[in-house]
Amino acid sequence: MYITNSPEVAKTADGNGVDRIFIDLETRGKAERQGHIDSVKSHHNLTDIDAVKGQLQRAQLLVRCNPLFDGSREEIDEIVRRGADIVMLPMWRTADEAMRFIDYVNGRARTMLLLETIGAEKALDEVLSRGGADEIYIGLNDLHLDYGLTFLFELLANGKVDEITAKLRQAGMFFGFGGIAALDGGLVSGRNIIAEHYRLGSSIAILSRAFCDTSKIKDLEEIESIFSEGVKNIRQYETELLKMPASYFDENHKNVSLKVNEIVDRMRKKS
């Protein structure tokens, strides 16, 4: 998945093998939660859905709505009417909230629950038993903040993602988590994180700002080159992973945990 509200960038990503374009309408409460960290704060709006949808040939359009509020039904109706293929609910904390969202969508698009709160994690068993959600995505940014951790990938190193994904696999749920940079980019390389997705049975990942930061890169030819080479390299690596034994993924997980712990130590010393 790639987050953008630019029709030109969406067309480029779509043409180079990105499976989903992600429009982010979530604004309610996000600045208060993430104002102190270097995360992307969205300025997308409903009209972006129309503009981006018209550029897509093969990719699906995912739209993240706001957390549930008095106007959620109307907001979701408009998102669906404008053509979203998947609607994502952020910051839910109870099974009842998740079910209300599913009811609002009412089968008109796929539903994705963004599990990014401790409350949502505690409600997961009930959500899975009640059914109705099509997909679940584990949001490492807000979940690590809710746990009071230092770095989002601590949730991979400390076994929390393993614990959650074991439940999702048992339920047969389509799921993903976190974000990946270019194959050899990022604080923890995309190569290592993709192998973690394969170890855990994940099917979805967001191509992060570290993959292509269009707030800094404006030239469309350069953006085209990044997507063309970057997605091709990821797909080639995925083909290699399909041939790897379980021991490869176990060793990779150990290396990721060591790298994450080193990063956390450095970040704590700086703060």
Side-chain angles (χ1 to χ4, degrees):
M1 300 191 292
Y2 186 73
I3 300 173
T4 184
N5 68 335
S6 163
E8 295 81 10
V9 174
K11 182 178 181 179
T12 297
D14 175 40
N16 285 284
V18 173
D19 298 304
R20 291 176 175 180
I21 302 301
F22 184 146
I23 288 178
D24 186 8
L25 302 182
E26 183 191 5
T27 56
R28 298 174 68 89
K30 190 162 187 176
E32 291 79 4
R33 297 194 314 273
Q34 296 187 8
H36 64 294
I37 64 172
D38 183 23
S39 62
V40 177
K41 314 300 189 297
S42 172
H43 300 287
H44 300 183
N45 61 64
L46 284 164
T47 60
D48 293 327
I49 300 173
D50 308 76
V52 168
K53 180 77 172 180
Q55 295 299 319
L56 303 184
Q57 296 296 316
R58 56 171 297 279
Q60 294 178 305
L61 182 62
L62 181 150
V63 180
R64 174 160 58 187
C65 64
N66 276 293
L68 290 180
F69 69 109
D70 289 345
S72 284
R73 184 187 293 276
E74 291 76 16
E75 180 182 70
I76 290 168
D77 282 347
E78 190 69 8
I79 288 169
V80 172
R81 186 186 70 78
R82 289 175 182 267
D85 299 298
I86 308 135
V87 186
M88 172 192 277
L89 175 68
M91 297 308 292
W92 57 280
R93 292 179 170 83
T94 69
D96 284 345
E97 288 180 336
M99 295 304 114
R100 185 149 56 101
F101 163 71
I102 292 165
D103 179 62
Y104 288 167
V105 177
N106 194 28
R108 295 172 296 165
R110 287 180 68 81
T111 52
M112 178 187 282
L113 299 175
L114 181 57
L115 193 161
E116 56 183 344
T117 68
I118 294 172
E121 183 193 344
K122 290 179 177 177
L124 181 59
D125 288 339
E126 184 180 353
V127 167
L128 293 174
S129 68
R130 291 172 69 174
D134 294 305
E135 309 178 13
I136 289 182
Y137 202 83
I138 305 168
L140 300 184
N141 243 339
D142 275 304
L143 189 58
H144 97 276
L145 293 176
D146 219 9
Y147 270 106
L149 300 176
T150 304
F151 180 47
L152 75 167
F153 286 129
E154 279 184 87
L155 295 164
L156 268 178
N158 68 13
K160 179 56 65 179
V161 175
D162 286 66
E163 181 184 328
I164 296 170
T165 56
K167 294 181 178 182
L168 298 176
R169 287 195 305 274
Q170 185 175 12
M173 178 61 69
F174 190 82
F175 70 89
F177 65 86
I180 55 172
L183 205 55
D184 294 303
L187 288 175
V188 182
S189 77
R191 188 179 300 273
N192 291 131
I193 297 301
I194 292 167
E196 283 286 85
H197 279 267
Y198 273 71
R199 179 180 70 85
L200 294 165
S202 164
S203 297
I204 331 168
I206 294 171
L207 294 172
S208 69
R209 181 173 43 173
F211 177 86
C212 183
D213 188 350
T214 54
S215 69
K216 296 178 180 177
I217 303 168
K218 302 298 184 183
D219 182 79
L220 281 174
E221 289 187 4
E222 184 177 356
I223 292 169
E224 170 82 34
S225 176
I226 290 170
F227 275 97
S228 175
E229 287 300 309
V231 175
K232 180 182 72 175
N233 291 340
I234 287 171
R235 296 303 191 202
Q236 289 175 346
Y237 179 54
E238 288 183 293
T239 300
E240 295 170 16
L241 287 177
L242 292 173
K243 305 171 187 175
M244 294 298 183
S247 58
Y248 175 88
F249 298 98
D250 292 339
E251 186 64 26
N252 181 75
H253 179 62
K254 291 177 185 176
N255 292 335
V256 167
S257 297
L258 288 171
K259 180 67 174 177
V260 167
N261 290 332
E262 289 172 4
I263 292 168
V264 170
D265 286 342
R266 289 201 305 268
M267 292 174 74
R268 287 176 178 168
K269 285 174 184 176
K270 286 182 180 178
S271 61

